[in-house]
Amino acid sequence: MELLFPLLILALLVPTFLGVRRQKKEMQKVSALQDSLRIGDRVMTTAGLHATVAALADDTVDLEIAPGVVTTWSRLVVRERVETATAQDPDLFRKDDDTNPPEGRPTEY
């Protein structure tokens, strides 16, 4: 009975400690990404916005969300760098792909 209380405390503290460590590593990775941004990088924000980096400042980043449309954001909102597929990839838009049905044919859900 005397051993139950210390084991209970240990069972609660170990998962908390491991969770904090994992979160700290993830924050370091995101911070390194935000420091390594370059003009022309495709990024995704924490809100899910996909954009291209147009300009960089100390605390802000200008993101081009459409041709000629540039908005200013805090660097902290950049969550990840996005790799985009090129239009020259022949398998990207195949004619026989069901996700792009021919004109006039309704898509079934």
Side-chain angles (χ1 to χ4, degrees):
M1 201 64 174
E2 297 168 8
L3 190 60
L4 183 61
F5 186 69
L7 287 176
L8 182 62
I9 296 295
L10 187 66
L12 293 175
L13 290 180
V14 168
T16 303
F17 174 73
L18 293 175
V20 169
R21 256 185 69 191
R22 185 182 67 224
Q23 185 177 14
K24 186 177 178 182
K25 284 182 182 180
E26 189 66 29
M27 286 177 56
Q28 287 174 344
K29 195 169 22 170
V30 170
S31 178
L33 166 74
Q34 292 166 352
D35 291 339
S36 71
L37 289 176
R38 300 286 175 249
I39 294 174
D41 286 349
R42 291 282 301 164
V43 296
M44 184 172 70
T45 66
T46 55
L49 178 74
H50 290 250
T52 303
V53 176
L56 296 165
D58 289 337
D59 294 334
T60 61
V61 59
D62 289 346
L63 299 178
E64 185 175 25
I65 56 176
V69 180
V70 178
T71 57
T72 303
W73 296 73
S74 169
R75 275 188 186 239
L76 300 176
V77 301
V78 176
R79 185 174 72 184
E80 64 185 73
R81 188 174 282 124
V82 178
E83 299 297 327
T84 58
T86 61
Q88 286 79 21
D89 186 4
D91 293 330
L92 184 61
F93 300 106
R94 294 191 349 230
K95 295 288 186 198
D96 60 342
D97 190 4
D98 287 338
T99 59
N100 297 323
E103 292 294 324
R105 187 176 120 204
T107 304
E108 296 180 30
Y109 295 102

